[in-house]
Each structure stands twice: as structure tokens, then as C-alpha cells.
């Protein structure tokens, strides 16, 4: 992480231009420092062969194995020939195939008994795993001139590689830059390093790339994890420190005000969890520096109710509250549910409005000019106590009378900068409440949302029904898909409604171009290469086929806002039986009568997203049914993900699975810029202890020395991390 001029040298100065170009384009490695921080994914041992038995389908792998047999076979009436090589590692066998003129060199090199490294993409042929035309590097025991010096050590580093650049070529490039590791500036304070027995950064870099023993790897990883956790936590601690220095107006609920009037008319009592979280929020609102709280809770755990009560408390205290939603559909939905929950309390200044009432306005980009003008006027005069809107709230023209609280829904759709833009609308920094229905394991919350305090709602309100989830393997068992549509019909006949979710809208891809003149592909390739199923086509097929006679409508993000709103209103009113939609329904859409959901091409969605979507059904008293349709083969990682979703309704458990399967931080979609790119050895699930300790150390250092005047090396590392974040944010724009 230390960045000094030597480590900032462009790779093209040290490596060949072709290699440097591939590294930049395919691995995002541009400088010596980038390459030094491109750590081996694992290590193969000379004496121990890699487990071939559990290679992942469709991934680019590097294996070390021994040739068991090699034979040339003729096909196409003797006109074509292929070389089939079987390699083994004791745990299993793997077939390699070479075709045409490409067979001569491997036929000469890969004699039975030869040991080599092989790299290629794992595919399946006749239900067997194989590598077609793998690149290979022979491992000779006698270190002759073509034996590679770097493999003389006992441990062979296997780097995250690409089809364009094999692991051993990356290893040679690392050899060229490794001497520069001595120049790496160490960001960890010496006291922290010696207190924990951690090696220096140059030593760690040397040991991770060229270990002599397994203990070297352990030492290096322990040290590099600390770097990542600590520098990140210092960045977050400084952010928290800056926030606590800001002044804010304390907003305490007044007795017999709007909040009490609202609580009095609630037809149910709050859950214990809602009471507890509300208390944490009210305590924060009562202080004179801004609240920064993350409220996470499963779909349907009652976050909106908690947020609304906080907004009412702020209105009672003379301020205004703004709720920021990621989409227009969701902003309209929140506006509807808030005004319904408040009833006459939302009719401030109107006949029939209550004495305590305030005005609740909505503000989105596509509103008509007159409605927009009125909403802006209500905000600047203070007539409207509550405003719900999209990014339109962040625009310069929007002014508040006295903004006291900002509630951000579905945080992972907004970067830190957007939060700040809205908060700058207050005369003094307003309080901030961030909500998410994506359950986030504690360590991720500490890593990615480390500038926020966390509250968790983990109880579902009484009356919510269970949801059963099943995978529908459409390619292997087409009759399962037919049965899925029968189930949707049955739900509709029983007076309920259903959703069909597709990954794409459908009027935008020239599907005829896809797959023309292509060679025969594996089932997995076919399922992957086919354009994702689209709302427009699926709706047509369903109305003409399995759902003929039902009232089917479509909903997607490119429809005019009025049309979207109209469809949602009719669906909520029960005059639409089945809604075929994109993920615009993912968050916040609340139709208790909807009990069935079919997700087409479910393998194209992430685990957390599937969990979010599923939370749209079973919101009433009838049980929910969610069917995950996929054409992926049974053994594929994609099907494994779907089975995990079907096996549990626990969002926290799923978010762990999601994290383990994807890069850390990805679980939050576009998370807070920069975090993902900076994590290489730190696993936010497994390294809970390191993260928690790093957070404590970082908080302590920043408390004593907020400007880090005594830690120049740490500042250098921090600037590198923060400038990377800034850069990523600007790119996302």
C-alpha cells in the first residue's frame, strides 16, 4: 500500500510493452506497486499435486500435475487429428485436448511421467471436465536451461491470471519488480507492528511472492491483512472524527405533538426491535452533533415505520425531514405508504387536516412544472415538513426552510458524495439515517459503512407469512417450468397475484446477431451466451401461452413515470393478475396480495438481489412462493448459488454466502467507492478479529492525532487509498 516514486514507476518501463498492456487492460495493474500488490491466489507444492477433482467449471485455472497418458486420435474420416493428454494428481484426472497443427509441440513435450503447470479454462465435454489448448510450462527437476529458475523453490505461486497472461508469466514479471519492494514505505506505526509481532512491509512482500516455507506465507498474509484493515479503518475513523466536530441542532420530540398523535392512531403495537432501534435514533437526534446511523433490517421488518417516526419527531421539533429513494417508482411508493399511514396527519393546511398535521410532498425528476414549483415552494416556506424524492432532491434549485433529518433508503445505491450533497442543504448539518434491506454481516458494516453507527431490526412483524423457494431447472426438466406457470395460475385462481421478473427490458438487443455461426457450445456456454430473457418478449409469450386469459401487465424503468405509477396502482388495487417486470420491483413495492414470484434467468442475479426480490411476496397473511428458473447445468457455481437462496430465508446467512462467492464488498453492489478495490488479502468474513482490532487502533490514533502529523508514512498510504476512491467515484459519475 505504500506508494513512493519507485513503486509508482509505470510497468511499461520495466516489462515488455505487450505484457504491460495486457496487465493494464485485463488485470488493472499499471505500476510497480500495483504488481507487488497482485498477490498469489494460492501455492502449489513441487511434491504435491493440485486437486483436479474439484475444479470449478468455466473458470480459468492453473494446475500442477503429471502426464499419465497421451494419444493422437483421428476424426473426420482421417482428415483431422487431435491430441488427448490425461493428467493426474492422485485425487483425479483431467483431460487436455489439442487440435490441428497445435498438437505437434505438446505431443513432443508432454510424455507420460512429465510434470508441468497447465493453465486454461475448465469446460465440460461429454460430461467430463477438460482443458482445451491449455498453456503449459514444464517443471524439470534438473533445473536445465529451459527449466524456469523461479520454480526451483518448493512453493510455486499461482497468480490470479487471465487467458491472455498465464500465472507463470506474471511470476516472471513479479521477479523483475521484486527488488523494488525494499523501497515500500511502511504505513503501520512501529509500536503497533512490534506489539503484534508483524513483519515489515518489504519483508511481507518478499515472503508472499517468493516463500520458502508455509510459515513465510502466513507471516506475509497476517501482515498484509493488517495493512488493508488498518489503512481503511483510519480513513473511516477520520471521517467519523470530522463528523463529530460538526455542530447540529438537537431535535427532541415534543409531548402531545405529531409523533404522539401518529402513535395513538397506529392499529398495532411496535415490535420490541422497533422500540429499541427508535430509542437509539431518538437519543442520537437529541445530541448537538449529527447522527450518523445505519438501520439494517430484513425486507418487511418495519424499517419505514421506524424512519417515519424519526421524521415526525424532527417535524415536532420544528425541522424538516427528507427521504431519498433510489428510483421514482420507490419514491412514489414511499410517498403513498407514508400518506396512507399518516392519514389526516399528512394534510397540513388542508380542510379536514388534523391540528398537528404537516404537509408531505413528493419530488421527482419527471414531475410536471406546476407540481414541481408548488413542491419547491412548500419546502422553502417550511409548509411541507416531510419530502420524499429521488436524486432530484440533491439539485441546486431545491432549498429547505430548516432541514433537520435526511433518511437515505437503500444506501448501496448512493455514494458518500450524494449523501453529502443532500446534507449540505441544511443550515447546519442535518442528522442522517441510512436504511438498507440488504443484510450486512457485522464486519462488512465495519468495513464498508465504518463511518456509521449500526442498528439492526431482526424481528419480522407479526402476521408475515413464510416464503417457500424452489429452483426450476428449465433446461434439464422443461416440465418443471410448465408446472411453475400452473402454480402461478393456481395462485391467481385463489384470488392472489404474482410477479414474473426478467433481467432485461427487451426492446434493446438484436438477438438475431447473438450466436450466429457459432461453434457448438457446452450447455453452460449456451445458457451464458444467450441474451438474458426480456420483459417484453416473456410477457407476450405468457399471454399467448401458459397465462392466457389472465390480466398480465409489464413494468420497467424505461416506461413514462405516469404509466409506471398507473400500472403499480392497478396492481396494488388487484385489477392486474400478473406483473412481468424488471428489478424495478426489487425494493419497497408492497402488495400484500401478491403471493407468487417467478424469477427468469435467476442465475443472472446476485444472491442478495434474489433475496430482496423474494421479499416482495408473502407480505400478507397467505404464504409466499418464489421459483428460481435457470438453464444452468446442475454442477455449475450459478446453480449452487440458487440452491443456497432456496435453502434459507436468513438474509444474514445469505449475505455471508454471497460474500464468500464474490469479491468482498461486492455484496453491496456499488458499495462505497474504493473499498472493493483496496481489499486483496483481507476477507471481511473470516478476518473479523483483525478488522475489529484495526478499528480500535485506528480510532485511538485518530483521537490523539486527527491530522496524523506523527505518522507521515500512514498519510502517504491513506492519500493513495483516498485518491483511488475519489477516482472511482468520478468514473462512476
Amino acid at each position: 500500500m505504500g506508494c513512493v516514486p519507485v513503486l509508482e514507476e509505470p510497468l511499461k518501463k520495466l516489462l515488455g510493452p505487450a505484457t504491460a498492456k495486457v496487465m493494464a487492460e485485463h488485470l488493472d495493474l499499471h505500476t510497480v506497486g500495483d504488481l507487488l500488490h497482485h498477490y498469489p491466489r494460492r501455492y502449489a507444492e513441487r511434491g504435491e499435486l493440485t486437486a483436479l477433482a474439484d475444479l470449478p467449471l468455466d473458470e480459468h485455472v492453473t494446475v500442477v500435475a503429471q502426464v499419465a497418458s497421451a494419444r493422437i486420435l483421428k476424426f473426420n474420416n482421417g482428415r483431422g487429428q487431435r491430441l488427448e493428454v490425461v493428467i493426474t494428481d492422485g485425487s483425479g484426472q483431467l483431460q487436455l485436448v489439442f487440435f490441428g497443427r497445435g498438437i505437434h509441440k505438446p505431443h513432443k513435450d508432454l510424455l507420460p511421467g512429465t510434470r508441468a503447470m497447465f493453465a486454461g479454462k475448465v469446460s465440460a465435454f461429454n460430461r467430463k471436465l477438460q482443458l482445451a489448448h491449455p498453456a503449459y510450462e514444464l517443471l524439470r527437476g534438473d533445473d536445465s536451461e529451459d527449466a524456469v529458475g523461479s520454480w526451483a523453490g518448493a512453493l510455486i505461486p499461482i497468480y490470479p491470471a487471465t487467458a491472455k497472461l498465464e500465472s507463470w508469466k506474471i511470476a516472471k514479471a513479479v521477479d523483475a519488480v521484486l527488488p523494488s519492494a525494499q523501497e515500500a514505505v511502511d504505513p503501520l506505526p512501529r509500536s503497533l507492528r512490534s506489539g503484534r509481532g508483524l513483519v515489515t512491509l518489504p519483508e511481507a512482500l518478499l515472503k508472499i511472492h517468493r516463500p520458502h516455507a508455509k510459515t513465510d506465507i502466513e507471516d506475509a498474509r497476517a501482515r498484509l491483512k493488517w495493512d488493508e484493515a488498518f489503512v481503511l479503518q483510519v480513513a473511516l475513523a477520520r471521517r467519523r472524527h470530522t463528523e463529530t466536530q460538526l455542530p447540529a441542532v438537537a431535535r427532541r420530540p415534543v409531548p402531545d405533538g405529531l409523533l404522539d398523535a401518529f402513535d395513538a392512531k397506529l392499529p398495532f403495537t411496535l415490535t420490541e426491535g422497533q422500540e429499541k432501534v427508535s430509542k437509539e435514533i431518538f437519543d442520537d437526534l437529541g445530541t448537538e452533533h449529527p447522527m450518523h446511523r445505519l438501520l439494517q433490517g430484513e425486507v418487511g421488518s418495519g424499517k419505514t415505520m421506524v424512519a417515519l417516526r424519526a421524521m415526525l419527531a424532527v417535524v415536532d421539533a420544528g425541522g424538516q425531514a427528507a427521504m431519498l429513494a433510489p428510483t421514482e417508482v420507490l419514491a412514489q411508493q414511499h410517498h403513498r405508504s407514508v400518506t396512507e399511514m399518516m392519514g389526516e396527519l399528512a394534510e397540513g393546511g388542508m380542510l379536514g387536516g388534523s391540528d398537528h398535521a404537516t404537509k408531505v410532498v413528493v419530488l421527482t425528476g419527471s414531475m410536471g412544472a406546476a407540481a414541481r414549483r408548488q413542491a419547491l415552494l412548500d419546502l422553502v416556506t417550511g409548509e411541507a415538513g416531510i419530502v420524499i424524492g429521488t436524486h432530484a432532491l440533491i439539485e441546486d434549485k431545491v432549498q429547505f426552510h430548516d432541514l433537520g433529518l435526511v433518511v437515505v433508503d437503500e444506501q448501496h445505491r448512493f455514494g458518500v458524495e450524494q449523501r453529502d450533497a443532500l446534507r449540505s442543504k441544511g443550515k447546519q448539518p442535518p442528522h442522517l439515517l441510512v436504511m438498507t434491506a440488504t443484510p450486512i454481516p457485522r464486519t462488512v458494516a465495519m468495513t464498508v459503512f465504518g463511518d456509521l453507527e449500526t442498528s439492526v431490526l431482526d424481528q419480522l412483524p407479526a402476521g408475515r407469512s413464510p416464503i417457500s423457494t424452489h429452483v426450476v431447472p428449465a433446461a434439464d426438466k422443461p416440465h418443471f417450468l410448465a408446472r411453475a406457470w400452473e402454480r402461478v395460475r393456481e395462485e391467481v385462481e385463489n384470488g392472489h397475484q404474482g410477479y414474473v421478473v426478467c433481467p432485461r427490458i427487451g426492446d434493446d438487443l438484436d438477438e438475431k446477431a447473438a450466436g450466429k455461426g457459432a461453434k457448438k457450445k457446452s450447455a453452460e456456454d449456451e445458457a451464458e451466451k444467450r441474451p438474458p430473457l426480456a420483459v417484453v418478449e416473456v410477457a407476450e409469450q405468457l399471454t399467448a401461452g401458459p397465462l392466457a386469459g389472465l390480466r398480465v401487465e409489464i413494468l420497467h424503468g424505461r416506461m413514462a413515470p405516469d404509466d409506471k405509477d398507473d400500472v403499480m396502482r392497478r396492481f396494488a388495487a388487484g385489477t392486474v393478475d400478473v406483473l412481468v417486470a424488471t428489478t424495478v420491483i426489487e425494493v419497497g413495492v408492497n402488495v400484500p396480495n401478491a403471493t407468487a414470484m417467478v424469477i427468469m434467468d435467476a442465475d443472472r442475479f446476485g444472491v442478495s438481489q434474489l433475496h430482496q426480490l423474494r421479499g416482495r411476496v408473502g407480505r400478507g397473511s397467505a404464504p409466499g412462493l418464489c421459483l428460481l428458473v435457470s438453464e444452468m447445468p446442475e454442477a455449475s457455481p450459478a446453480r449452487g448459488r440458487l440452491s443456497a437462496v432456496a435453502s434459507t430465508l436468513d438474509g444474514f446467512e445469505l449475505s455471508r454466502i454471497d460474500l464468500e462467492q464474490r469479491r468482498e464488498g461486492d455484496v453491496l453492489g456499488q458499495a462505497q467507492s474504493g473499498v472493493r478495490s483496496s481489499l486483496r488479502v483481507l476477507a471481511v468474513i473470516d478476518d473479523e478479529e483483525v478488522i475489529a482490532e484495526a478499528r480500535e487502533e485506528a480510532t485511538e490514533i485518530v483521537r490523539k492525532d486527527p491530522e496524523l502529523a506523527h505518522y507521515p508514512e500512514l498519510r502517504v498510504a491513506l492519500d493513495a487509498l483516498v485518491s483511488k476512491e475519489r477516482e472511482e467515484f468520478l468514473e462512476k459519475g
Side-chain angles (χ1 to χ4, degrees):
M1 280 201 174
C3 271
V4 294
V6 180
L7 298 198
E8 282 167 16
E9 284 276 350
L11 285 172
K12 52 179 180 261
K13 275 192 172 175
L14 288 115
L15 311 172
T19 307
K21 186 169 186 269
V22 173
M23 285 194 167
E25 286 175 7
H26 293 272
L27 295 167
D28 196 22
L29 305 175
H30 306 273
T31 64
V32 170
D34 290 343
L35 182 52
L36 286 174
H37 289 299
H38 186 71
Y39 309 131
R41 176 179 282 155
R42 58 187 180 81
Y43 302 83
E45 288 185 58
R46 262 299 172 70
E48 171 205 284
L49 295 166
T50 327
L52 299 181
D54 43 355
L55 288 179
L57 196 59
D58 232 26
E59 278 193 26
H60 203 276
V61 299
T62 304
V63 297
V64 177
Q66 188 164 324
V67 177
S69 66
R71 59 188 184 145
I72 288 182
L73 300 173
K74 295 202 176 335
F75 60 93
N76 212 357
N77 292 333
R79 286 198 296 278
Q81 47 181 5
R82 71 175 184 270
L83 170 65
E84 282 187 2
V85 177
V86 175
I87 59 174
T88 176
D89 66 347
S91 80
Q93 293 190 331
L94 181 65
Q95 184 167 283
L96 317 177
V97 284
F98 301 87
F99 293 97
R101 295 201 183 109
I103 71 175
H104 303 303
K105 187 170 181 336
H107 191 219
K108 198 166 83 232
D109 290 343
L110 301 177
L111 303 171
T114 308
R115 180 168 295 163
M117 299 181 78
F118 303 92
K121 189 175 181 187
V122 183
S123 58
F125 181 72
N126 283 343
R127 299 210 170 262
K128 278 189 180 159
L129 294 183
Q130 68 168 27
L131 298 182
H133 282 281
Y136 61 86
E137 180 91 349
L138 302 179
L139 299 175
R140 303 181 199 274
D142 61 348
D143 224 355
S144 63
E145 59 195 3
D146 22 304
V148 192
S150 50
W151 310 132
L155 292 163
I156 301 167
I158 309 279
Y159 287 91
T162 76
K164 297 263 190 329
L165 196 66
E166 292 85 22
S167 170
W168 50 87
K169 290 185 181 158
I170 296 172
K172 287 176 188 169
V174 169
D175 282 339
V177 301
L178 208 50
S180 309
Q182 294 306 326
E183 307 293 323
V185 171
D186 201 327
L188 288 193
R190 186 173 292 149
S191 58
L192 189 157
R193 208 172 61 226
S194 54
R196 287 189 157 71
L198 299 171
V199 299
T200 63
L201 182 56
E203 193 181 334
L205 291 171
L206 215 57
K207 283 183 165 178
I208 198 143
H209 288 293
R210 297 295 172 261
H212 292 297
K214 285 184 176 171
T215 51
D216 287 353
I217 303 168
E218 285 159 21
D219 289 352
R221 289 179 72 86
R223 162 61 217 242
L224 294 166
K225 279 178 182 182
W226 255 95
D227 270 26
E228 288 180 8
F230 181 69
V231 175
L232 190 57
Q233 291 301 337
V234 168
L236 293 166
R238 289 187 74 192
R239 196 177 160 86
R240 285 197 304 275
H241 181 269
T242 310
E243 309 282 13
T244 58
Q245 304 308 300
L246 297 172
V249 178
R251 311 277 180 175
R252 298 183 183 89
V254 297
D256 302 326
L258 186 55
L259 178 62
D260 283 352
F262 175 75
D263 283 349
K265 66 192 283 299
L266 278 182
F268 52 81
T269 53
L270 297 178
T271 65
E272 225 172 279
Q274 286 173 320
E275 293 277 13
K276 177 175 148 289
V277 169
S278 291
K279 182 181 182 322
E280 291 170 351
I281 291 170
F282 290 148
D283 287 350
D284 284 359
L285 289 173
T287 61
E288 289 180 357
H289 56 83
M291 162 169 84
H292 286 102
R293 195 163 277 283
L294 171 69
L295 170 57
Q296 48 168 332
E298 286 282 14
V299 171
S301 57
K303 295 182 300 298
T304 313
M305 171 63 69
V306 169
L308 176 55
R309 292 183 73 245
M311 295 188 338
L312 297 176
V314 168
V315 175
D316 271 347
Q320 290 169 295
M323 182 185 246
L324 188 57
T327 63
E328 294 209 353
V329 168
L330 192 52
Q332 298 284 4
Q333 169 93 27
H334 275 318
H335 181 249
R336 264 204 303 281
S337 60
V338 163
T339 48
E340 277 165 20
M341 284 196 273
M342 287 176 65
E344 72 282 4
L345 296 175
E347 295 168 359
M350 291 159 71
L351 275 173
S354 151
D355 297 348
H356 298 299
T358 186
K359 212 169 186 181
V360 180
V361 299
V362 66
L363 189 65
T364 62
S366 60
M367 283 168 75
R372 190 179 172 76
R373 253 197 320 277
Q374 184 58 53
L376 290 172
L377 187 66
D378 287 341
L379 287 179
V380 78
T381 58
E383 190 77 15
I386 294 177
V387 58
I388 296 167
T390 54
H391 292 73
L393 284 177
I394 300 175
E395 290 169 14
D396 294 344
K397 291 196 273 298
V398 181
Q399 289 183 332
F400 289 85
H401 175 64
D402 179 13
L403 181 60
L405 170 67
V406 173
V407 178
V408 180
D409 191 22
E410 286 312 313
Q411 158 60 26
H412 57 290
R413 311 291 180 90
F414 295 102
V416 170
E417 275 78 359
Q418 288 156 308
R419 269 172 21 195
D420 289 352
L422 186 56
R423 284 178 14 206
S424 67
K425 302 273 182 196
K427 295 189 173 72
Q428 280 195 327
H431 298 280
L432 174 72
L433 179 65
V434 163
M435 303 197 293
T436 178
T438 306
I440 306 162
R442 173 173 165 261
T443 43
V444 185
M446 276 196 289
T447 309
V448 184
F449 296 106
D451 58 332
L452 302 168
E453 299 297 329
T454 306
S455 294
V456 179
L457 273 177
D458 46 14
Q459 277 173 300
L460 285 187
R464 285 299 298 262
S465 305
I467 304 170
S468 54
T469 309
H470 306 279
V471 179
V472 177
D476 316 351
K477 300 179 179 161
H479 60 285
F480 275 38
L481 183 57
R483 176 72 188 119
W485 301 126
E486 282 171 23
R487 284 292 291 113
V488 173
R489 286 197 89 95
E490 287 164 15
E491 290 297 313
V492 173
E493 279 158 16
N494 289 331
H496 297 301
Q497 293 160 279
Y499 298 99
V500 177
V501 182
C502 304
R504 200 165 59 81
I505 295 172
D507 45 8
D508 52 353
L509 258 195
D510 178 10
E511 285 161 40
K512 294 179 199 69
K516 260 201 179 161
K519 308 196 291 272
K520 177 90 183 83
K521 303 260 191 2
S522 70
E524 184 137 6
D525 267 354
E526 288 295 340
E528 274 288 5
K529 299 295 181 292
R530 169 177 63 65
L533 290 170
V535 166
V536 178
E537 285 101 67
V538 169
E540 280 169 13
Q541 289 160 12
L542 292 177
T543 44
L547 301 186
L550 301 187
R551 297 167 298 179
V552 177
E553 293 268 1
I554 63 174
L555 179 71
H556 57 71
R558 230 179 293 141
M559 288 163 61
D562 290 350
D563 296 346
K564 277 193 277 201
D565 214 40
D566 175 54
V567 171
M568 270 320 300
R569 275 178 196 282
R570 288 187 294 116
F571 187 63
T575 58
V576 172
D577 297 322
V578 177
L579 192 60
V580 183
T582 54
T583 55
V584 290
I585 61 149
E586 177 186 352
V587 282
V589 174
N590 185 19
V591 179
N593 191 44
T595 53
M597 175 177 285
V598 180
I599 303 179
M600 307 302 291
D601 279 342
D603 47 86
R604 310 276 178 124
F605 300 99
V607 170
S608 293
Q609 199 174 22
L610 290 169
H611 182 59
Q612 290 280 82
L613 285 165
R614 165 172 67 183
R616 302 292 120 217
V617 294
R619 298 177 76 87
S621 51
L625 171 69
C626 178
L627 301 172
L628 308 173
V629 179
S630 171
E631 290 187 4
M632 290 307 230
E634 199 165 350
S636 61
R639 275 281 289 279
R641 278 206 311 276
L642 298 183
S643 301
V645 175
S647 69
T648 177
L649 287 171
D650 180 339
F652 285 91
E653 179 54 32
L654 285 174
S655 66
R656 289 181 80 95
I657 293 168
D658 204 8
L659 262 177
E660 281 157 11
Q661 292 186 337
R662 304 188 348 202
R663 265 305 282 168
E664 319 290 359
D666 238 16
V667 71
L668 301 164
Q670 286 302 308
Q672 318 245 76
S673 42
V675 170
R676 215 172 38 248
S677 59
S678 62
L679 297 188
R680 292 188 178 87
V681 281
L682 190 71
V684 286
I685 288 287
D686 305 333
D687 297 321
E688 184 160 348
E689 217 170 284
V690 175
I691 293 169
E693 286 180 26
R695 183 179 164 108
E696 270 174 41
E697 292 274 4
T699 308
E700 189 54 21
I701 280 180
V702 170
R703 188 181 65 76
K704 290 181 180 156
D705 182 0
E707 293 308 309
L708 305 180
H710 299 94
Y711 303 99
E713 297 86 357
L714 179 54
R715 281 203 73 117
V716 169
L718 203 58
D719 291 345
L721 176 75
V722 173
S723 67
K724 178 105 178 164
E725 279 200 33
R726 185 76 48 225
E727 200 174 272
E728 289 209 355
F729 179 76
L730 292 173
E731 275 171 22
K732 284 211 300 270

